[in-house]
Amino acid sequence: MKFAGICFVTENVKELKDFYSNIFDVKVEGDNNFAYFKFEEQHISIFSKSGEEKIAPGSMDGIGYGGCMLEFNVTDVDERYEQLNKLNVQIIKKPSTTPWGIRSVWFKDPDGNTINFCCKVK
């Protein structure tokens, strides 16, 4: 088994697509119903809640948002933090380094999902 990716289901594909287009260093494909970001062998897709419901009726009953954290290895956490500040992104944990040597910054996307940009400190 090999992990392929994750899909955010949302009421507003365009808002998440535009948000992640500014955050990620990868090209977005798709439209305002379904968008797709490819990272080497993995991907993040964004799909409309109504589109998901059409494919699998009842699958969206009781669904919430913001219940996961995505983590991305980056080269420079502080540089990414500056970029996020320029984009007025909601920072929930400023850059800091754990006792076990991981430097990270956490922020929220428009649906409330937490994103962690991190790197191993030398």
Side-chain angles (χ1 to χ4, degrees):
M1 184 182 317
K2 186 175 183 180
F3 179 74
I6 190 166
C7 179
F8 291 122
V9 179
T10 184
E11 295 283 356
N12 195 342
V13 173
K14 182 181 181 343
E15 183 177 27
L16 282 187
K17 179 181 77 168
D18 292 347
F19 177 84
Y20 284 116
S21 292
N22 288 319
I23 301 298
F24 295 145
D25 296 326
V26 296
K27 180 183 167 197
V28 62
E29 298 180 29
D31 55 29
N32 292 334
N33 186 56
F34 179 81
Y36 189 85
F37 296 87
K38 182 78 173 156
F39 299 86
E40 297 177 12
E41 296 182 23
Q42 295 78 34
H43 69 270
I44 291 178
S45 55
I46 304 168
F47 193 31
S48 68
K49 189 174 179 179
S50 62
E52 180 82 19
E53 189 63 27
K54 284 178 188 173
I55 290 173
S59 64
M60 296 291 92
D61 294 347
I63 192 90
Y65 299 110
C68 72
M69 177 187 286
L70 295 182
E71 298 180 325
F72 293 88
N73 288 325
V74 298
T75 305
D76 188 328
V77 167
D78 297 287
E79 182 180 295
R80 290 297 185 134
Y81 173 67
E82 294 303 320
Q83 174 195 17
L84 295 169
N85 275 328
K86 289 177 186 173
L87 295 170
N88 294 315
V89 171
Q90 180 187 357
I91 304 296
I92 59 173
K93 184 183 83 60
K94 291 182 179 182
S96 60
T97 304
T98 65
W100 49 91
I102 301 295
R103 185 154 184 82
S104 65
V105 59
W106 297 0
F107 59 97
K108 294 273 188 186
D109 75 9
D111 270 0
N113 297 298
T114 302
I115 310 301
N116 176 8
F117 281 169
C118 57
C119 67
K120 180 79 172 153
V121 178
K122 297 175 184 174

